[in-house]
Amino acid sequence: MAYYYKREIADLNGTGRRQYRYELRSEGNVGMKELAEQLQLRFRALGISEIQGLGEALVRTMMENLADGYTVSLDGLGSFSLSL
């Protein structure tokens, strides 16, 4: 479950009112190897190396499409696009 915290930010308008911003708290980083291990528990017919290879191929293909100017949408996760 994602957690967030409330942070007070500076009053740039000089109104004297308190302003707050909500930010997500990171629980750490999960890499490709850890994701592959978690997926292998759900899909026992596939080996960890096969799952890692599929994940790396997905990332590489997404990068290529993003570099070509496309937006990449993954159902249930979100849309990815490059910006300046």
Side-chain angles (χ1 to χ4, degrees), residues 16-74:
R17 292 180 23 201
R18 291 185 180 193
Q19 296 179 349
Y20 298 95
R21 183 165 94 189
Y22 293 90
E23 296 180 357
L24 288 175
R25 183 181 76 192
S26 175
E27 298 295 331
N29 186 44
V30 178
M32 185 68 75
K33 183 178 180 185
E34 291 83 9
L35 286 173
E37 290 169 353
Q38 292 173 12
L39 287 168
Q40 204 272 330
L41 294 174
R42 294 182 186 192
F43 304 102
R44 296 195 181 271
L46 298 173
I48 289 178
S49 60
E50 293 172 308
I51 296 170
Q52 276 184 293
L54 179 60
E56 291 169 4
L58 174 65
V59 169
R60 200 173 323 113
T61 305
M62 284 179 64
M63 288 172 47
E64 290 169 357
N65 281 280
L66 290 168
D68 288 339
Y70 291 96
T71 296
V72 178
S73 298
L74 298 178

